[in-house]
Amino acid sequence: PVESPVTLLDGIHWMLAALADDGPLLATVDDAQWADPDSLQVLAYLVPRLQSLRMTVVLSTRLGELDHPGLRHALEGGAERLQPGPLSVGAISTLVREVLAAEGTEAFVEACHDSTGGNPFLVGALLDELHRTGVAPTDRSAHRVKLLGPRSVSTAIVARLAVLPEGAID
């Protein structure tokens, strides 16, 4: 227990400042749209003070979820918004080479791009499934990409739908 929340927030700030003195510091917050009120309070306290530290905070949210009122308030102190676009065909080609350990043909890579829209999560799940099932990145395999529904994608979607409010599935 602390006498006041400001004491705790100040303590967190100075702890991070001490860590940042040792070298640049990166703090990440994934799915920030689900942050609890205490975490949002810490962010609101830290964000305006980051310029004095060798520290960067990176928050990720689902698309459109930055409008969460508590999150918007927490970031008012000077956040920069970045919204990466989909992966390019070239980026997917690189991932095909890394995940499948072989150079993908143009038709295969384009099939991966077309069936995922360049969404990094979907590309990763698709390539994991292709690797798991031993599909080679060839022209002959390109048609299989469009037929394949990665189990990891469907599992992740079902899990995400389960935590959404009533009516979200509709």
Side-chain angles (χ1 to χ4, degrees), residues 57-168:
V57 175
V58 176
L59 294 105
S60 67
T61 64
R62 282 191 307 204
L63 193 59
E65 293 286 343
L66 194 55
D67 294 333
H68 179 285
L71 188 54
R72 195 172 49 241
H73 169 72
L75 299 178
E76 284 175 353
E80 180 181 349
R81 182 177 183 184
L82 303 175
Q83 189 171 340
L87 295 175
S88 67
V89 172
I92 293 173
S93 179
T94 300
L95 291 172
V96 165
R97 184 172 47 255
E98 289 176 6
V99 174
L100 302 181
E103 196 73 37
T105 66
E106 186 176 328
F108 184 87
V109 171
E110 285 182 15
C112 291
H113 186 269
D114 291 345
S115 60
T116 63
N119 178 301
F121 173 74
L122 297 177
V123 171
L126 174 66
L127 293 179
D128 287 346
E129 185 71 8
L130 292 169
H131 177 68
R132 189 186 70 73
T133 56
V135 174
T138 64
D139 286 349
R140 286 181 47 174
S141 304
H143 74 283
R144 289 193 61 200
V145 169
K146 295 180 182 183
L147 301 174
L148 190 60
R151 275 185 272 161
S152 55
V153 173
S154 61
T155 301
I157 289 172
V158 168
R160 288 180 180 185
L161 288 174
V163 299
L164 293 177
E166 189 175 317

Side-chain angles (χ1 to χ4, degrees), residues 2-70:
V2 293
E3 292 177 23
S4 75
V6 174
T7 304
L8 179 61
L9 294 171
D10 216 30
I12 293 170
H13 172 250
W14 288 112
M15 177 195 66
L16 293 170
L19 290 170
D21 280 345
D22 292 339
L25 185 62
L26 173 68
T28 61
V29 180
D30 192 22
D31 291 326
Q33 73 275 3
W34 292 328
D36 61 86
D38 291 337
S39 299
L40 292 173
Q41 186 178 21
V42 170
L43 288 171
Y45 189 83
L46 283 178
V47 168
R49 292 162 178 79
L50 287 176
Q51 292 179 357
S52 65
L53 301 177
R54 292 175 30 188
M55 179 176 174
T56 298
V57 175
V58 176
L59 294 105
S60 67
T61 64
R62 282 191 307 204
L63 193 59
E65 293 286 343
L66 194 55
D67 294 333
H68 179 285

